[in-house]
Structure formats: structure tokens, C-alpha cells
Amino acid sequence: MSFFIRLDDAAAQRDVDKWDKMETLFDRYSIKPLVGVIPFCKDPEMQQYAKDENFWDRVKQWQKKGWIIGLHGCYHLYTSNSGGLNPVHNRSEFAGETLKKQRNLIKTGIAELELHGIDAKVFFAPSHTFDRDTITALKRESKIRIISDTIAIKPYKKYGITFVPQQISQVKRIPFFQITFCYHPNMMREEDFRQLEEFLKKNKNRFRQYPIELVNRKESIWDIGLQRIYFWMRSRKTR
């Protein structure tokens, strides 16, 4: 069993103190996560944070440490009510939008990262929602061939993309071969940091750098079954 950590919503407008605390914790236990960078954050909820003028230098420092940088949308704005291929939520910056618009979002986001010397290896959309056109846009406008999302027991290849599943939001042992824990540092409480550190102390040898290797394994019937169960359970909670 291997563990990975993904951090969402790294932007110039973020809770710098909490991100610093997370970085200190990861350095202590030699954790190298995936970090989702928002190139142009226009999310109204994140405008409460002061803008970090040294943000891009910080991202470059993370990259030098061996942290994997991901493109986390472009503006982090929800412009549709579609859940797409991975309907964790019924809101999206990508799913449900035209291919032309999605290509422009990817192109614009990648250009901004490259302008600052950042090499994005992975993509994941705000609220986990994307569709087939998102995948087409990634292929046409970037070199990214890995998406961090969907439910599965381990990475698989579909539509010419390697999907590294993201199964749970906080550290916990669940019966999968590889598990990605997804954290939003801006929203973390002191108790969340405490629980995370306790888990890291006990399981630090199982944590790996976020994988960026392409795979040929096909999506299995077990993966499909897990996805159906997961989304059925989510639909019952929202009734």
C-alpha cells in the first residue's frame, strides 16, 4: 500500500500561514506532494486572502524540492452546473463548456506557468469536474497526460490519459493499493494538522512522491464498480 498527498488551491491569494505550516510538516517527514496551482485565481472565496507577491518564487522552490506541480484549472471560477465524467460536484470550470473555451483555459494556464519557469506534470480541475473535451483540450494545448482524479484501486489508462485516482479527503487507511489524500490547506483547522502529523508519524515509510509515470493498465470492472458505488452513495447524501 502506497500513499500520496495532493494539495489543492495554491494561489497568490491563499492562507500563507497554513501553507507554511503544511510545508514545514512535509519537510519534517520528507513528503513530496502534488500541488495544484491556480494561474489566475479569481475565485471570490479566495479573495479574502492577501496577495503573496512572492508566490511564483515559492512555487519554484516547491518544484526544486521535488514537489510535483499540477495545473489546477485557470481561474478557479465555476461557469457550468455539469459534473462531467467525475461528478463529485455539479459545478465546473471545464465540464459542460465548449471545446474552444476549454482549450483556451488550458492554453492560458499553461502559458502563465511556463512564463514563471513552472513545468506542470499533472492536471486536476476545480471541484474534480471535467469531461471528454477537457481531455482533448489537454492533449492539444499541453504535454500533460496525467489527471489526478476518479475512483479506482490504482492508476489506469483511458482516453490516452493516465488517471491517478483520488479517493479520500483526509488521511485514513482504506482498502486500495494506492491512495491519494486530498487536502485544502486554506481550509484546514488545527485538528486537521494534528491528525495529519499523527498519521505521518505512523506511516511515513508508505508515502511516496506523487507518481508521474504513464501506465498501460486498463480501467477494470472493479474500478468501474467502485465508481458506481461511490457516486451512488454521494447521490443518496445529497437527497
Side-chain angles (χ1 to χ4, degrees), residues 47-85:
Q47 303 310 310
Q48 63 181 298
Y49 305 115
K51 186 174 182 180
D52 177 10
E53 299 297 337
N54 297 314
F55 173 64
W56 292 107
D57 288 336
R58 194 61 171 275
V59 177
K60 283 190 280 189
Q61 289 175 14
W62 293 338
Q63 187 170 253
K64 288 178 181 178
K65 283 185 178 184
W67 293 21
I68 303 302
I69 307 302
L71 176 65
H72 186 40
C74 186
Y75 304 107
H76 210 277
L77 287 176
Y78 300 115
T79 54
S80 87
N81 296 320
S82 176
L85 296 173

Side-chain angles (χ1 to χ4, degrees), residues 65-163:
K65 283 185 178 184
W67 293 21
I68 303 302
I69 307 302
L71 176 65
H72 186 40
C74 186
Y75 304 107
H76 210 277
L77 287 176
Y78 300 115
T79 54
S80 87
N81 296 320
S82 176
L85 296 173
N86 192 53
V88 176
H89 301 283
N90 291 318
R91 60 177 185 258
S92 189
E93 183 174 23
F94 291 87
E97 297 292 355
T98 65
L99 174 59
K100 180 179 180 180
K101 181 175 181 179
Q102 294 196 51
R103 287 184 65 178
N104 186 60
L105 289 170
I106 298 295
K107 182 179 181 179
T108 302
I110 288 291
E112 181 67 5
L113 294 182
E114 291 180 344
L115 178 66
H116 295 283
I118 307 302
D119 182 18
K121 302 290 188 182
V122 181
F123 171 83
F124 52 101
S127 286
H128 311 268
T129 47
F130 60 93
D131 59 17
R132 285 290 300 274
D133 281 340
T134 316
I135 294 170
T136 300
L138 275 176
K139 290 180 176 179
R140 294 186 182 180
E141 303 296 343
S142 80
K143 297 178 181 179
I144 295 174
R145 296 296 182 269
I146 300 172
I147 290 178
S148 167
D149 257 320
T150 71
I151 303 298
I153 56 175
K154 57 183 178 179
Y156 63 91
K157 182 178 181 179
K158 190 175 184 178
Y159 310 127
I161 291 287
T162 290
F163 289 90

Side-chain angles (χ1 to χ4, degrees), residues 26-38:
F26 286 172
D27 287 348
R28 185 179 302 152
Y29 294 97
S30 300
I31 304 298
K32 299 184 186 300
L34 166 66
V35 184
V37 173
I38 306 169

